[in-house]
Amino acid sequence: MRGASQAKWVVAAVAVALAATACSSGGSSDSSGAADAKGSFSYQSTEPQHPLQPANAMEVGGGRIVKNLFRGLVDYDPTNGKLRNQVADKIETTDSQHYTVTLKSGWTFHDGTPVTAQSFVDSWNWSANTKNNQVNSNWFADIAGYADVHPEKDKGAPTSDKMSGLKVVDDTHFTIDLTAPVSYFEYKLGYTAFSPLPKVFYTDPAKYGESPIGNGPYKFVSWEHNKAVTLAAYDKYAGVDKPKNGGIVFKNYTQAEAAYKDLVSDNLDVLDQVDPSDLASYKNDLGDRAVDQPQGGITSIAFAMYQDDWKGADKAKVRQGLSMAIDRDTITKTVLQGSRMPADSWVAPGVAGYKKGACGEACTFNPAKAKELIAAGGGVPNNKVTILYNADGGHKDWVDAVCNSIRQNTGVECVGDPKPDFKTARDLIDGHKVDSMMRSAWQQDYPLNANFLRDIYGTGASANDSLYSSPEFDQLSKQADAAASIDKTTELYSQAEAVLAKDMPAIPLWFYKTNSGYSNKVQNVKFDSFGDPVFTEVEIKK
């Protein structure tokens, strides 16, 4: 997710994503196996980083689970990516700053209690409050009064537990006031952080995170840590996408290759991503059950801009030079077996506002110019860089290839810095304890370039792992958010992207494709532009 999904860092996000593909821990005879007689199916997953709370999942391990447990006001049609109403009957505004929300009736949480306007307002207020430590709290930053519940770090404790921009009118109506116009705010409302929460949540949020009660197409059954999370179809679900199956088992894997072996032997039903070692053969292995399609995601290498080694205007030249030393075409064709497309921007193709070639010459392979820029910027500190990544995601081969490319074309020493699993890697990244560079994969939260730009590179953004900060970038982002139309918004964000080309806080490597597959036990398996299966559409063969 941004999680995700949701944007999510893949794994995403991965990502986002994309996700840290994990690997199998056990046989298929238990609850984490392939499709069972009750109509459930299994999906390759990884241990969630955080408790299963809607605003606390930015990586796909938890994000995909939360995405199935909850539904918000809107979501995105899997066939075309367009907004569609879920709990919302309508969302009205005349100025992109003041909104009136009307809810549909008949929605209930999995404990039978009704979903009301208060369910949304209370959830958003709690999730935004800094004392509750939710990783996606900044998603509410557009709402008036956010600073009261989430003051900046040096400005003390919250002065309120409610945002002034949220008002309940009655059970089916509430209003949203933003601090300034945001032309694409309704797109953002599709992110899971904006999900409603039942009253029982507030009695013990930590306990709830281990056994959540949502309002989505699936209800929680069990969480066997480091093994599997099991969900069952909710028979009173009121959404437009009722499940065509009996449930999902999110089966943990710690090695991507093991997941693929389970798929081929029908001990796993739906794969996240094919691991690099099996990309060359998976289409022959799976036949018409193989999936190969574009996806709204990107892999980059982000710099630890908070380290002294990367501070200073001249270091941008060094970062550009390192980017030009990477032979993206060869790596995507050979090591990645054509499963990725060389990146030429920080925004994925197919996303509104994607600008071909936005990265400029810095994303073009040119060893001679790479050496020249590195020298002009004062050289790489200690003539060595490292790339932190999670070892459970099948990333070693491409990290080694990128390092070889840098080493051979510039003379700069480059080595991978593997961590055992996605959670360990993310904890170090979230704690800003990266020495040099880090794998940074992102899966779209919503199909707009703002999600790939402001949400990753804006000052203080929760996904800004580099701690990059540019007043110029932030000002253009602010202007883009206040634009009168989506078209103007995307245009201004393209201008903000040009600032990234100048500063190079991260090196775009390649865009994602969904390379996946499914077992002989399921059918009607489709993937959306987020790289997720359309879980509710999967059918169990009789």
Side-chain angles (χ1 to χ4, degrees), residues 299-371:
T299 291
S300 304
I301 303 174
F303 292 88
M305 301 287 283
Y306 46 85
Q307 299 290 5
D308 289 341
D309 288 346
W310 296 114
K311 293 178 180 178
D314 285 346
K315 291 306 177 185
K317 296 178 182 178
V318 176
R319 295 190 290 270
Q320 291 168 346
L322 290 171
S323 177
M324 296 182 77
I326 300 169
D327 188 352
R328 294 167 177 77
D329 286 339
T330 297
I331 295 173
T332 53
K333 290 175 182 175
T334 57
V335 177
L336 295 171
Q337 300 289 331
S339 66
R340 304 289 185 267
M341 301 174 287
D344 58 0
S345 73
W346 286 266
V347 177
V351 172
Y354 163 71
K355 185 176 181 180
K356 184 176 177 61
C359 183
E361 67 172 359
C363 285
T364 302
F365 182 51
N366 188 335
K369 186 64 178 290
K371 292 179 182 178

Side-chain angles (χ1 to χ4, degrees), residues 519-540:
S519 77
N520 286 297
K521 299 182 179 182
V522 293
Q523 60 188 8
N524 199 34
V525 180
K526 305 170 185 176
F527 284 76
D528 59 24
S529 64
F530 294 84
D532 295 339
V534 185
F535 290 97
T536 56
E537 290 291 309
V538 176
E539 298 174 352
I540 313 304

Side-chain angles (χ1 to χ4, degrees), residues 67-72 75 86-87 107 196 215-217 237 241 536:
K67 191 175 181 179
N68 282 285
L69 287 169
F70 292 89
R71 283 293 183 268
D75 68 357
Q86 285 283 13
V87 185
W107 278 79
N215 68 320
Y237 176 60
D241 51 340
T536 56

Side-chain angles (χ1 to χ4, degrees), residues 60-137:
V60 293
R64 286 183 176 134
I65 296 168
V66 169
K67 191 175 181 179
N68 282 285
L69 287 169
F70 292 89
R71 283 293 183 268
L73 298 173
V74 298
D75 68 357
Y76 314 100
D77 189 315
T79 62
N80 56 28
K82 294 182 179 180
L83 283 175
R84 67 180 180 187
N85 286 346
Q86 285 283 13
V87 185
D89 182 50
K90 54 186 176 181
I91 302 173
E92 301 171 291
T93 184
T94 58
D95 59 5
S96 297
Q97 184 174 358
H98 306 284
Y99 295 80
T100 298
V101 178
T102 302
L103 304 183
K104 297 173 183 174
S105 59
W107 278 79
T108 61
F109 290 105
H110 301 150
D111 62 359
T113 58
V115 177
T116 66
Q118 198 73 53
S119 307
F120 283 94
V121 170
D122 287 349
S123 172
W124 299 3
N125 280 324
W126 188 93
S127 298
N129 196 309
T130 187
K131 68 181 182 181
N132 296 321
N133 198 32
Q134 298 292 284
V135 296
N136 289 319
S137 58

